[in-house]
Amino acid sequence: MALLRASGEYTGDDYDLSAVLGDSGEDTGIPHADVLIRLAETAIKFDDEATDAARDAVIERMGEAALVDAAAIAANFNAIDRVADAIGIPLEDEKAAISADFRAELGIDEFGRASLPAAAE
Amino acid sequence: MSSLSFDAAPLPVRDDIAEALPQVWARIGQPGTWLTARERVAVAAESRNARYCQLCAERKDALSPYAVQGEHDSLGKLPDDKVELVHKMMTDPGRIAGHWFEALKDGGLPETEYVEIVGVIACTVAIDTFCRGIGMAPPPLPEPQDGAPSHETVGEEHLNRGLAFAPTLDPFVDGPLQKEFFPAGPPTAAHIRRALSSVPDTQRDFWRIANVLYMNGLQMRDFSTEYRAITHAQIELVAGRVSAINQCVY
């Protein structure tokens, strides 16, 4: 999410970071956020029927190459999240510092294991 | 020969993905560093089976997952401690705790095997999720190949035991693996890039996939150029939504 905010700062856009917590995506400021979020949600839950519809929507609005890249990102983070949690990887100090405000605001610190530097076991 | 190919994919797949994922999928069917090929394929199979486990469902719903006792619904190809690892990582990764890792270790699961299993699960999850995302069935399991694990060790003096539950390669110690895995030097060695590094081939396999599915470190922060068919913002939106569902802070 720090990179999402950083990309918005670069382009001068003010993105609604709460979209990642399950917002519909309609008011995020990110084009086609609604269909991308739907694809991410359904693909990682292995809900094939819902994924079919989400996939069609992404292709219709954004094209096949966008669908491939969106599926690739969902796949990567569905795996890398598990690696981070299974190995017990903490956030880097500098990343923890720059994300502290929105983590607290959005309730991300309440996730199952707060992998913050001070919380590393 | 891999049992995964994108030649008949329902839509064109980038060349780097079409090359990397089948290679790593075939690697799961080969002897690893600490696990036999048969064990690695069993881990991949069990990772697919875990979402049907009743015990895992009950633990996922519980306020304290560690208080719920019972037996996993497993395929019966792995010992209990490895089934516990696979199921936990698949069904409730956000609540994995250090004491749980220590209990597995104290029960006899070597941390080397733990790390390799984590890597095999991660590669399986990534490949299965990508296939489903583009409308392809996940590939058949690879056929286990004969041979013994390599038992490649990195040396205790190269390990950092203070960063995470499991040991990681210490980027601040000079060595060939550090140069390979952290070519820009210790200050830029993101913690996640160190996660699987205590088992080098596991590190190589996972990042072979991750680098093509996502972007490399320089591309991630280069907002002046779009390297994919979706923008940086769209990429990080998808990444953030997936991580939120997985309850992953990192």
Side-chain angles (χ1 to χ4, degrees):
Chain A
M1 285 181 57
L3 285 172
L4 175 57
R5 180 162 67 177
S7 72
E9 289 170 353
Y10 181 85
T11 57
D13 294 307
D14 184 19
Y15 299 137
D16 176 7
L17 299 183
S18 69
V20 303
L21 297 181
D23 196 297
S24 69
E26 291 173 0
D27 301 317
T28 61
I30 302 169
H32 309 304
D34 55 340
V35 293
L36 290 169
I37 285 176
R38 176 58 58 188
L39 178 77
E41 291 173 343
T42 57
I44 72 165
K45 291 177 180 171
F46 288 1
D47 181 344
D48 287 340
E49 194 172 322
T51 306
D52 287 346
R55 186 186 312 115
D56 290 345
V58 172
I59 292 174
E60 183 180 328
R61 292 233 216 124
M62 306 173 69
E64 289 184 334
L67 183 276
V68 169
D69 284 341
I73 298 302
N76 185 64
F77 281 85
N78 204 23
I80 214 163
D81 292 346
R82 287 177 163 80
V83 171
D85 285 333
I87 301 295
I89 292 295
L91 266 179
E92 292 80 355
D93 289 339
E94 63 275 19
K95 289 180 187 171
I98 63 172
S99 62
D101 57 343
F102 68 73
R103 285 200 331 269
E105 182 183 334
L106 300 178
I108 293 171
D109 288 343
E110 304 306 312
F111 284 178
R113 184 184 68 83
S115 54
L116 307 174
E121 296 181 50
Chain B
M1 185 68 179
S2 178
S3 59
L4 171 61
S5 167
F6 293 103
D7 290 348
L11 68 179
V13 172
R14 261 194 280 127
D15 288 347
D16 53 358
I17 293 177
E19 182 180 337
L21 271 59
Q23 285 179 358
V24 172
W25 189 242
R27 279 274 307 129
I28 289 176
Q30 298 168 1
T33 306
W34 302 101
L35 304 177
T36 65
R38 196 165 300 280
E39 289 171 317
R40 288 163 60 85
V41 173
V43 168
E46 194 63 56
S47 72
R48 288 177 169 177
N49 177 62
R51 64 196 178 103
Y52 304 109
C53 177
Q54 183 61 35
L55 175 61
C56 288
E58 291 171 11
R59 286 180 171 176
K60 179 76 175 171
D61 288 341
L63 198 58
S64 177
Y66 298 103
V68 181
Q69 302 298 316
E71 284 189 18
H72 289 290
D73 298 317
S74 81
L75 298 172
K77 302 289 188 187
L78 292 169
D80 289 348
D81 55 355
K82 290 175 181 171
V83 170
E84 168 70 11
L85 165 54
V86 174
H87 281 228
K88 184 73 174 172
M89 186 170 157
M90 285 304 300
T91 62
D92 200 8
R95 293 198 288 181
I96 289 177
H99 64 77
W100 175 85
F101 168 77
E102 291 296 333
L104 284 179
K105 204 170 72 163
D106 293 346
L109 179 60
E111 57 195 13
T112 48
E113 293 187 29
Y114 180 99
V115 172
E116 183 168 340
I117 290 169
V118 168
V120 171
I121 296 168
C123 291
T124 304
V125 169
I127 288 168
D128 284 359
T129 306
F130 179 73
C131 288
R132 288 179 184 274
I134 65 165
M136 263 179 71
L141 291 168
E143 193 64 34
Q145 305 297 302
D146 292 333
S150 69
H151 290 175
E152 176 190 12
T153 58
V154 303
E156 185 65 32
E157 69 277 18
H158 287 275
L159 294 179
N160 177 343
R161 293 188 172 276
L163 178 71
F165 309 152
T168 56
L169 194 67
D170 189 342
F172 292 93
V173 176
D174 196 27
L177 288 173
Q178 284 85 344
K179 286 185 173 61
E180 176 186 351
F181 296 153
F182 319 120
T188 61
H191 290 175
I192 192 62
R193 288 266 173 183
R194 307 183 201 179
L196 301 170
S197 57
S198 66
V199 181
D201 277 345
T202 297
Q203 168 92 349
R204 293 182 185 104
D205 288 343
F206 179 70
W207 288 102
R208 176 95 176 86
I209 288 182
N211 284 335
V212 298
L213 291 178
Y214 185 40
M215 294 179 287
N216 66 40
L218 291 175
Q219 293 170 336
M220 276 168 52
R221 292 173 183 79
D222 177 10
F223 300 116
S224 67
T225 304
E226 298 298 353
Y227 296 91
R228 300 292 187 233
I230 57 178
T231 66
H232 274 79
Q234 290 168 330
I235 286 170
E236 298 308 331
L237 174 73
V238 172
R241 183 69 193 120
V242 170
S243 297
I245 292 170
N246 287 333
Q247 297 275 290
C248 181
V249 176
Y250 190 88

